[in-house]
Amino acid sequence: MSSTHEGTFEGLRAQLQEAAASFADGPDALEGILLGIVDDVDHAVREPLEIFPVCHHSPASAIAMARRLREKQPKVVYLELCEDMAPLLTELRNCKLPVAVQSFATEVDGFPAEWSPLSVVAPITEASAEYQAIAYALDTPGVELVLVDRSSDHVFQWDARGTETAEPADPDAPPVEEEAALHGDAVGVEIGDLRPRFAELEEHLLRHGKVRHWSEWWHQYVELPLGDSDHDTYRQVMLLIGSLFRRLAPGDPHRVRVDEDRERHMWTRMREHLAATGADPADCLYVCGAFHAASRVAEFGVHGTDTFEISPPSATTWQHGLIPSSHAAIEAQFGLAAGSVSIAATMWAKNVRRTRVEPYRLAGQAGTKKSRARKAAADPVPDLPPSDKLTGFLRQPPALDRLDEAELLGWSVEIVRAARRNGYLASTADAIAVFETSILLAGMRDRARPTPYDFQDAAVTCIEKDTVPGRRDVRRLVEIMMGGDRVGQVGYDALPPLARDVHDRLAPLGLKLQQGGVQRALLDIASQPELERCSDVLWMLRHLMPQGAARPIMGERKLGERPIQESWDLALGTYQRALIELGYEGVSIEQVLEQRLRRTAYDRRATAATVLEAVEDATLYLRSRRLAEELGTHALEVLSAERSVDGAPEVLRRVRRLLAYYRTSEPVLPPWIESFVKAGYAHYCTLLPTAFTDDDATVRQVAAMLGFLFSMESLALSLGCDRTQLELAVVQSHPEESSKTALLWAAQVQLGRLSREDLRARCDELLSNPLVVPAYPRYLSGFLYALDPVPGLTDFVVEAVSNAFGRLPDPVLLPWLPTLITTLRSGGAELAPLLIREAGRTFPGRLAALDTWVPPWRARPEPEAAHPTGHAAGGHGCTLLAAHPATCDAVASLLGCEGTWETADSGPAGVALTGRHPDTAVALEALLAGA
């Protein structure tokens, strides 16, 4: 073989050597680069196992691949794709392209925990060479498809994210559309990454090619010239480009090492397969990116060395599946120009019609036209020694396509029509301007036929004026017109079990959930009780999936309530990727939800509030008492370990809600919540004195602690807690902040250690002291927060606020009003109704009565003088009981008691014993007076 190919590129070598000497005034590095590129092409062409270099999503590569497969009819196809993705490729026939083959891992073992979840995707479109190879291998009997690239696990084993710092995101970048985010933050794997890694080289090519983006340069100078070329020319040109970009790469050590390891891995796998099966290399085809085709590693070729050792995979468990993809997602993930993949799809359709090459399509493929009856397989074309096609290709002038006026005119009319539908004031004159400007721009860029990129620039120039009236700009309208952002779809049979289960359980709704867009679901559960199961599924999906996947319009899910009617907006087809990834976590949504609740509750950063939220979700969505008791017991442990009161308001809110639910739906309280109340009572009593003096503890948090202690006091005391502990905690509290001081006074009133008269006197004293008046609004803020733990002070707070408005000077009162409003809005939304109701009861209802109105706290009646006998004058015992003795007689008869009734004037009423023996009362009075 070596002697056969001897001298194939000698003429090209001589010309390049002369050119290098002329341009560089003698042999130097330029000569080495140019001759090295030719050597790389010659080296790849000489390989007995045919190498087919491709570029990802290139119509020219796809056409050349389809043509070569029909000519060569290989028995083994080696494909550059993650080797663990092979079992999924047969499911492509159940999908509508574009889709992406995905490997997903939620729990990592052997990688840093912050990398979780791990995701690798390989998008596949119809206009890609790898799809042609897959369709040929899967639908042709006797053909074996072998994936030889590193596994998904090795993608992250060789990752350098731990040693590199990611560049910060551009804060001025426009928001990413939903279609462009279909791949999420997955690592993309593609065949044929042919973009220069040498920034200066790319800038040079773009400037001299008079184009804006690399995708446009590739379309103009590679796609179009190679569209009609023969196999040898295509292969040698692609090898030349791959070698050029490889030799001019800046030499990032990690990236170069990863590229070379991938090449060693692929050739090692191919030699292993050849040795195991005994296949003839002449009957095999190796499909890889052009960058990897021109490789110089020692393991290259069927006769390469076997020194590369493939490391074992980590212990991470990988899940595999298919997710929907889109043109915008592919462009966003691989840095392509917006609309380039859509333009490539249009070029693919035109190339198929022009070249009459019959492409391969998987049998039963959704979204594609049915193939005509296949012709009888032609005899394989014998492999002839390759000739030098590079010299003629590089020397020929560029072919100038004729201007297709009908096509350009159709584009111009269509873009004006689309612009008018989207709010632009476009007219026929704009269509003419776009037509002429496209021709002008193409001429300025040395091409006779305007490309879609020329037309896009012309449309933006002529139609888009100052503002964008609608949601889409003109550039986006051109992309849609050229083919649109085609979004793929995974068929029902290719979905994981969880996703199929969700579709089956939602079947009673009668909706086509596979379709994209938003669909409205109406659930009349009162008349159709079987729809309640659909409601349960929808609420779990709302909890697990992104916000737009399942959005309730009418209805809510609360503890202890049963649904009657609900209305939902569903977009499961649009969010199909998220539903599929749920299937990687379990076989049912109940299992996934339980796993996530456990993960949240047992996270090392979880607080008692977050664990109680998990308990509430387990009760609300799963109705699982077992899980609720387990998580509730863990919440008790987390609360006991906390040393701050940051989560006290949330803990109080959720415990109250859970207690109300259990008291109305369960015969007895669960043991875990009794233990939680008992432990929480002791816990907050211990932290209360510190929280009153701690500057980091807010008034709202301290009020929540008191709210827990006072509202749970009866239950805690019944469980064995001691009220003395709370009283001691209040006595030991000595706050310095005004609002906390008011909060402490409210607690003392609740405990009976401070009377209302004394509290009113303290407030009057504050208002009378000029030095304290500026701080009086902060005392009122404390009283507002005290309404939660001590709601009985509502009338006093209304009185205090009224006194403040009546007596505070304007320089003090006016700056405090915003604080009052924000306090009620942020932390006292549930307290505002109490104040409003009490104020409505206290203040007059009509404006005319306000002038004569006297506040009730200023018009209290004087207490009546006590009667000398110790009771009110005219009163003689229980007159009502004496007037109606039948009830008492019946009770006495039931108890077996006998007796007679005394008349009203039969003797002294009340406590007669103290009157007969007054010495004891006199002695007790003297003792208390002396104390």
Side-chain angles (χ1 to χ4, degrees), residues 360-570:
Y360 288 93
R361 291 187 176 95
L362 288 171
Q365 179 76 61
T368 58
K369 298 180 181 179
K370 294 184 178 180
S371 300
R372 299 184 301 271
R374 292 194 177 181
K375 303 177 183 178
D379 295 332
V381 177
D383 290 334
L384 300 176
S387 58
D388 180 11
K389 300 289 186 176
L390 283 178
T391 303
F393 182 84
L394 296 176
R395 295 181 62 180
Q396 69 181 6
L400 300 178
D401 294 342
R402 294 185 303 104
L403 172 63
D404 190 342
E405 293 188 359
E407 179 186 55
L408 183 59
L409 187 60
W411 287 356
S412 302
V413 173
E414 184 63 28
I415 189 58
V416 168
R417 184 181 293 115
R420 295 183 66 177
R421 286 197 302 264
N422 284 269
Y424 289 91
L425 299 178
S427 62
T428 305
D430 292 311
I432 299 174
V434 172
F435 180 87
E436 297 294 341
T437 307
S438 301
I439 299 176
L440 177 63
L441 287 177
M444 296 173 60
R445 295 165 179 173
D446 296 332
R447 39 186 180 253
R449 182 175 183 171
T451 66
Y453 298 96
D454 298 328
F455 172 76
Q456 188 179 56
D457 292 342
V460 172
T461 303
C462 299
I463 298 178
E464 191 170 288
K465 304 300 189 295
D466 297 331
T467 59
V468 177
R471 182 168 157 262
R472 299 183 177 98
D473 58 7
V474 174
R475 189 175 303 279
R476 178 62 177 157
L477 295 178
V478 174
E479 296 169 10
I480 296 175
M481 189 193 72
M482 288 293 175
D485 183 18
R486 188 173 304 169
V487 180
Q489 187 180 73
V490 180
Y492 176 86
D493 295 330
L495 292 173
L498 180 144
R500 293 200 299 268
D501 179 61
V502 168
H503 283 281
D504 294 341
R505 294 167 68 177
L506 295 180
L509 297 179
L511 301 177
K512 297 180 179 179
L513 300 177
Q514 289 280 79
Q515 293 182 354
V518 179
Q519 302 180 65
R520 179 63 58 88
L522 302 176
L523 286 73
D524 188 1
I525 302 174
S527 60
Q528 295 178 283
E530 64 275 9
L531 294 181
E532 185 174 356
R533 298 182 179 180
C534 297
S535 173
D536 295 338
V537 174
L538 292 176
W539 283 107
M540 285 187 281
L541 290 177
R542 179 180 180 269
H543 188 273
L544 294 172
M545 294 185 66
Q547 185 176 4
R551 187 167 61 93
I553 304 301
M554 180 183 70
E556 58 182 351
R557 178 63 63 97
K558 290 184 177 181
L559 289 173
E561 295 184 2
R562 307 295 295 183
I564 299 176
Q565 287 184 336
E566 292 180 354
S567 175
W568 290 81
D569 275 351
L570 303 180

Side-chain angles (χ1 to χ4, degrees), residues 82 154 477 550 600 712 733 785:
C82 294
H154 286 88
L477 295 178
T600 301
M712 308 293 167
S733 301
Y785 281 110

Side-chain angles (χ1 to χ4, degrees), residues 6 124 129 131 139 190 249 261 279 373 416 426 494 693 817 833 899:
E6 191 73 28
I124 297 176
Y131 175 72
D139 283 354
E190 62 176 346
D261 285 346
V416 168
T693 57
L817 289 180

Side-chain angles (χ1 to χ4, degrees), residues 12 16 31-45 53-54 193-198 201 218 234-250 263 288-296 300 390:
L12 181 59
L16 292 177
E31 179 181 354
I33 292 175
L34 295 178
L35 297 183
I37 292 174
V38 179
D39 292 339
D40 290 341
V41 176
D42 193 15
H43 179 63
V45 169
V54 300
D193 177 17
L194 281 185
R195 183 166 183 171
R197 300 180 184 175
F198 191 21
L201 172 62
W218 181 267
Y234 166 83
R235 193 156 73 113
Q236 292 176 22
V237 171
M238 293 295 287
L239 290 170
L240 174 71
I241 296 174
S243 176
L244 173 66
F245 293 164
R246 189 184 187 96
R247 289 182 174 271
L248 293 182
E263 293 154 6
C288 67
F291 188 89
H292 299 294
S295 175
R296 283 292 183 174
F300 180 89
L390 283 178

Side-chain angles (χ1 to χ4, degrees), residues 25 52 100 126 155 262 284 287 386 418 578 674 698 709 835 875:
D25 297 330
F52 195 95
E126 187 180 1
V155 170
R262 290 180 65 185
C284 303
V287 183
E674 292 183 349
T698 63
L709 294 171
L835 288 176

